[in-house]
Amino acid sequence: MRTIFLFLFLALSSWLAAQVKLSPQAEKDYKLAQSYFIKADYRAALLEFQEGKKQVEAENKDLFQLQIGNCYLRLKEYPKAEKAFQSLIKKGERLLPSAFQSLSSLYIDQKEAKKLKRLTDKVIKLEGEQIDFLRNYHYLAVLEKDQKAQQKYLEKICALPKATGSDFIQLAQLAERQNEVELAVMAASYGLVREPQSSYKKAAWQILEQQLMGEDWAKHCEIAEKAARENQKPDFGLDFSPLKGAAPSSESLQLVHPLKAAELLQDTSQALYLENPTEQLSELIAIAWLFLGQHTEAKYWQKTSLFEVVYQEFLEKVKDPQKRKLFSHLALVGRAEGLKNLQAKADLMELLKGK
């Protein structure tokens, strides 16, 4: 918790230095108080911010007010902190987002769900649906164990430019729980491309391995290898007829376990027996994107506006075989094995430099 507050504090301080012109005395007071805060001497920082607020010009008193609230927060004087932040939110001025984040943290830490909802409702009316505000709604939906609401708010979050790969992977987890396999695969793989080192990366890998490789992957590899040695077509005991018709719906075809994996294994011209499991998974991710891009009218895309806002552009981009291969490898560079796979491919490294 302290790390988060220190990060927000330093971020605001950097913004202050770049955007706000303080009088020499006010700047001196702010920097002294800032030094105390960074050293975790919050009482000394509080006194300096309070003194600085008395001296600073009226248009910059809000800067000191925000840090007074943060000092109270670190001192666990929560009613005083709440009052300090609420005064800034009430004014609806430039520091509203920072005050909102700090007050939200206070309510979350104190498990004040009703206050958090009232705060978020109020700020959205003032500022509209911004990503930090929507994160509060998602948090509340998690508390209420309302998966439908969780998915609703995660989809809204993911449609915004500041969404992270972790947001997409959390959406993938929800989609998988609801057996929406195509949406889960797309969100997990795209989330990894967007943020390969996401704290949720292991969850994404698990989703992709389960849905694209399945429990029978090793068995299918053995069947394919035996068929290749005997110059025969492998028989996996699977029905491929759904792949030969029109664009499938979620009811008629799931991607893939183990359908698409087996389809890949049928074509022995595609470097099927790769150096390591991560290389195999990257191949399957690339095929999954190709499949999803070819069936844009399928019913599973109608479940989310993300297709139009985010996925459509990405799937259009990865129609190019080299780009598709590059991004499928980028999705797995969070693994040491995946990073080595990418670095070993000179053509992809050259493409990456120009990306």
Side-chain angles (χ1 to χ4, degrees):
M1 196 71 163
R2 180 178 183 271
T3 303
I4 296 172
F5 278 112
L6 186 57
F7 171 79
L8 293 173
F9 181 89
L10 293 173
L12 178 64
S13 298
S14 299
W15 174 82
L16 173 65
Q19 304 292 333
V20 179
K21 182 66 176 177
L22 293 173
S23 66
Q25 184 59 48
E27 186 174 0
K28 181 180 178 181
D29 292 338
Y30 192 93
K31 286 183 176 180
L32 178 59
Q34 178 187 38
S35 68
Y36 284 131
F37 192 98
I38 292 171
K39 293 174 185 176
D41 189 347
Y42 303 119
R43 184 65 64 186
L46 173 63
L47 294 174
E48 290 298 331
F49 279 126
Q50 288 173 329
E51 188 61 32
K53 184 182 175 184
K54 295 175 185 177
Q55 308 298 327
V56 74
E57 52 274 15
E59 64 268 24
N60 288 323
K61 286 186 182 294
D62 57 347
L63 297 169
F64 287 80
Q65 176 74 0
L66 178 66
Q67 301 304 0
I68 287 169
N70 283 328
C71 287
Y72 280 132
L73 197 55
R74 302 311 300 151
L75 291 166
K76 298 185 179 180
E77 296 182 21
Y78 298 127
K80 292 180 180 179
E82 183 178 20
K83 184 177 179 181
F85 296 135
Q86 283 179 337
S87 67
L88 291 169
I89 291 170
K90 187 176 181 180
K91 292 178 182 178
E93 296 177 350
R94 57 182 175 174
L95 293 180
L96 185 151
S98 297
F100 172 82
Q101 284 186 333
S102 294
L103 188 53
S104 292
S105 297
L106 187 159
Y107 289 152
I108 290 171
D109 190 48
Q110 295 299 297
K111 297 180 172 57
E112 294 275 9
K114 290 182 179 179
K115 285 187 175 182
L116 184 65
K117 186 177 186 307
R118 284 199 296 268
L119 168 67
T120 308
D121 290 343
K122 178 178 180 179
V123 173
I124 280 185
K125 285 181 181 178
L126 290 172
E127 301 288 322
E129 290 189 340
Q130 297 183 22
I131 196 163
D132 290 330
F133 310 157
L134 291 171
R135 288 192 196 284
N136 277 5
Y137 281 147
H138 173 249
Y139 171 79
L140 290 166
V142 171
L143 287 184
E144 295 170 0
K145 299 181 180 180
D146 185 341
Q147 290 193 10
K148 187 175 181 180
Q150 289 176 51
Q151 183 162 348
K152 170 187 172 182
Y153 291 117
L154 273 175
E155 286 182 359
K156 287 189 174 187
I157 288 168
C158 289
L160 296 173
K162 291 183 180 180
T164 66
S166 296
D167 294 321
F168 282 89
I169 296 169
Q170 289 179 79
L171 181 59
Q173 290 176 304
L174 281 172
E176 187 181 44
R177 285 183 211 134
Q178 296 170 22
N179 203 33
E180 294 179 347
V181 181
E182 297 89 351
L183 297 180
V185 168
M186 188 68 228
S189 58
Y190 181 78
L192 285 172
V193 171
R194 195 153 181 161
E195 189 184 355
Q197 297 295 348
S198 164
S199 59
Y200 287 84
K201 63 186 179 183
K202 290 184 179 179
W205 298 339
Q206 185 176 17
I207 288 170
L208 293 170
E209 286 174 343
Q210 181 174 335
Q211 302 302 339
L212 297 177
M213 299 176 85
E215 297 177 358
D216 294 329
W217 174 259
K219 175 186 174 183
H220 290 154
C221 283
E222 290 175 3
I223 293 171
E225 288 173 349
K226 183 175 184 295
R229 288 195 302 268
E230 298 174 355
N231 198 27
Q232 295 179 355
K233 185 177 180 180
D235 181 9
F236 301 104
L238 298 168
D239 180 11
F240 287 91
S241 57
L243 294 172
K244 299 173 183 177
S249 69
S250 292
E251 287 76 15
S252 65
L253 173 64
Q254 283 188 341
L255 170 83
V256 278
H257 171 45
L259 200 55
K260 294 301 294 183
E263 184 190 50
L264 173 64
L265 287 170
Q266 282 195 122
D267 184 355
T268 54
S269 68
Q270 288 193 49
L272 301 180
Y273 316 115
L274 299 166
E275 294 180 5
N276 50 63
T278 302
E279 185 87 356
Q280 290 174 325
L281 184 58
S282 72
E283 290 281 343
L284 291 171
I285 290 171
I287 288 212
W289 289 338
L290 188 61
F291 173 81
L292 290 166
Q294 288 173 342
H295 299 294
T296 56
E297 299 302 316
K299 189 173 180 179
Y300 49 81
W301 285 133
Q302 298 170 21
K303 293 178 179 290
T304 172
S305 62
L306 276 182
F307 174 68
E308 294 182 358
V309 178
V310 178
Y311 297 149
Q312 190 170 35
E313 181 182 353
F314 178 76
L315 290 171
E316 188 66 30
K317 186 182 295 185
V318 296
K319 283 182 178 179
D320 177 87
Q322 278 296 92
K323 287 184 179 179
R324 187 167 62 251
K325 192 171 183 179
L326 171 62
F327 283 117
S328 69
H329 278 74
L330 282 176
L332 298 173
V333 296
R335 288 174 167 174
E337 192 176 64
L339 181 59
K340 288 179 182 178
N341 290 341
L342 177 60
Q343 291 174 335
K345 294 173 173 56
D347 57 335
L348 296 187
M349 292 301 292
E350 284 299 314
L351 185 61
L352 180 61
K353 291 177 184 177
K355 183 173 75 74

